[in-house]
Amino acid sequence: MKRGQFVVVATSGDYGKPRAALVVQSDLFAELPFAVICPLTTTLRDDADLFRLEVAPSPRNGLREISQIAIDKLTVVPISKIGDVIGQADDALLLRVNRALVLFLGIV
């Protein structure tokens, strides 16, 4: 599992159903027993483009429908909760994710 991969993950709580997520944790920490992810949602919001990044399905990313990466739902999950890798984000999308994370987390 590497940064920028789309994976299937089962998180706990209200979002417990298996869903797609984007791995955002640096590959430098790949040996840790957990990963930092941003879940995806198919419930699209048109009022949150700073922290909900739209991504269209493609053969490369493995998504089945238009989704949004939920930067505001940044989550740490045990590796055991992460299933298959379904695809990979392209460089342009990762740049958008990086910028959104910097803004959302207040990193300057």
Side-chain angles (χ1 to χ4, degrees):
M1 181 177 44
K2 296 183 180 210
R3 187 173 197 283
Q5 289 181 324
F6 287 101
V7 295
V8 176
V9 63
T11 58
S12 59
D14 293 338
Y15 308 104
K17 67 180 182 177
R19 65 174 59 237
L22 179 66
V23 177
V24 295
Q25 177 174 301
S26 169
D27 293 340
L28 295 173
F29 303 100
E31 298 302 318
L32 294 175
F34 57 83
V36 180
I37 56 104
C38 287
L40 273 67
T41 181
T42 55
T43 304
L44 305 180
R45 292 181 56 172
D46 60 1
D47 64 342
D49 28 331
L50 293 177
F51 57 87
R52 293 286 172 101
L53 306 180
E54 193 166 299
V55 58
S58 74
R60 178 180 172 136
N61 65 31
L63 300 176
R64 296 183 186 160
E65 54 188 299
I66 296 174
S67 302
Q68 288 179 331
I69 300 168
I71 301 296
D72 59 318
K73 302 290 184 189
L74 190 66
T75 306
V76 177
V77 295
I79 296 294
S80 63
K81 297 284 187 180
I82 298 176
D84 294 334
V85 174
I86 59 171
Q88 177 71 40
D90 61 33
D91 291 341
L93 179 58
L94 282 178
L95 180 61
R96 290 175 51 214
V97 168
N98 289 344
R99 289 177 175 165
L101 285 168
V102 165
L103 178 65
F104 188 75
L105 296 173
I107 300 169
V108 283

